[in-house]
Amino acid sequence: RAYASVAASPVTVTKSKTGITVVSVEGEHVSKNSAPASSVSLVVKAGSREEGTDNVGVAHFLKNFAFKNTSARTAFRTTREAELLGGFLSANLTRENLILSTDFLRGDL
């Protein structure tokens, strides 16, 4: 499989002035034999550990309502558009982080 080549690829860590850290794998490993899927995750330090007595439950609220209705799109439309492109949306919560992830076919990302 191509997993070994991905692990051996150079990883770049960049931090913006606003404090956002971006971790990426350079595209040298992308070839016709590599995996056809790509993944993007947004990891926010907003787990239950960050809650205080004045905002208990906010982390679970954010996780459960991550891909719901907005003023521009319904939850059904958001999910359906992702699925039509072969995508998958997920929201996970750990004690430390809120993780919003999407997996798509590499060409549709």
Side-chain angles (χ1 to χ4, degrees), residues 3 24 32 53 70 72 76 79 81 86 93-95 99-100 103:
Y3 299 122
S24 59
K32 292 181 181 178
T53 56
T70 65
F76 177 76
T79 304
E81 287 178 356
L93 183 65
T94 66
R95 183 143 165 75
I99 305 163
L100 304 175
D103 298 319

Side-chain angles (χ1 to χ4, degrees), residues 51-93:
E51 295 177 353
T53 56
D54 58 336
N55 61 355
V56 173
V58 170
H60 285 83
F61 176 84
L62 292 173
K63 175 197 164 278
N64 292 331
F65 289 92
F67 299 108
K68 300 296 182 190
N69 293 348
T70 65
S71 60
R73 286 192 170 93
T74 64
F76 177 76
R77 181 177 172 193
T78 300
T79 304
R80 183 72 175 138
E81 287 178 356
E83 288 176 350
L84 287 173
L85 292 172
F88 174 76
L89 304 172
S90 67
N92 297 307
L93 183 65

